[in-house]
Amino acid sequence: MAHSKHIKGDCAELIAAEYFMSLGYSVHRNMSSHGPVDLVLIDEDGMGDVILIDVKALSLRSKNGYKVNRTPTKKQKELDVQLMFVNLETREVYNAMPKKKDKQVKKDKQVKKDKQVKRDNKNVVDIKEYMRTHMPE
């Protein structure tokens, strides 16, 4: 029986392959389960460019829920392999690690909190505004 990591990886590769085919690339999969490249893309309609892709399924750490950071290996850097990330739930393909949603949620909450503070402090004078309007230059 296949290990769940391999199943996730295979699913991510297939989603990425489907995505690149929809963009018009000729897509070729690596025959072995190991190696620096998962997909080889050929732009047959254009200049015949060859793009090497390593596909990673987005993963969260079970300990704290943070995204697992992925970086190219030395060999992948030498070969100019591009890392692509696949969200298995939404089937979205990213060419860079997506931003952590928690940061945006925290930022949104802080903006709401700041607006609430401004509303609650109607009788507080902004000193900069006061100085501009009441003090001669």
Side-chain angles (χ1 to χ4, degrees):
M1 184 170 165
H3 191 273
S4 65
K5 281 187 179 182
H6 296 291
I7 293 171
K8 282 177 62 175
D10 289 344
C11 288
E13 284 180 32
L14 290 172
I15 291 168
E18 178 185 38
Y19 170 77
F20 289 117
M21 285 189 288
S22 75
L23 296 177
Y25 288 98
S26 174
V27 179
H28 307 271
R29 291 184 71 194
N30 187 345
M31 294 299 292
S32 69
S33 60
H34 299 289
V37 176
D38 292 324
L39 301 174
V40 177
L41 310 179
I42 301 173
D43 183 9
E44 294 178 346
D45 296 334
M47 302 290 291
D49 293 332
V50 175
I51 304 168
L52 304 177
I53 302 290
D54 185 31
V55 179
K56 300 292 184 192
L58 286 179
S59 306
L60 300 178
R61 296 189 187 282
S62 56
K63 180 179 178 182
N64 55 17
Y66 289 151
K67 287 188 175 115
V68 177
N69 188 32
R70 307 285 188 192
T71 57
T73 65
K74 182 179 177 184
K75 187 67 169 177
Q76 287 174 326
K77 288 177 186 175
E78 290 171 8
L79 295 171
D80 194 30
V81 175
Q82 307 297 309
L83 292 185
M84 300 300 287
F85 300 92
V86 175
N87 184 329
L88 295 175
E89 292 177 13
T90 64
R91 300 177 59 89
E92 292 177 304
V93 178
Y94 308 97
N95 64 353
M97 183 68 101
K99 302 281 188 247
K100 187 175 171 191
K101 288 183 181 179
D102 292 346
K103 287 184 180 179
Q104 185 61 40
V105 169
K106 286 179 183 176
K107 186 176 180 182
D108 291 345
K109 285 182 181 177
Q110 185 62 41
V111 168
K112 287 180 183 176
K113 185 178 176 183
D114 291 346
K115 286 180 181 177
Q116 182 65 37
V117 168
K118 286 180 183 177
R119 267 184 285 185
D120 291 345
N121 294 327
K122 290 179 182 175
N123 62 341
V124 176
V125 175
D126 181 358
I127 191 67
K128 289 179 184 176
E129 183 65 28
Y130 179 84
M131 296 295 282
R132 267 195 301 273
T133 57
H134 292 90
M135 301 298 286
E137 292 187 36

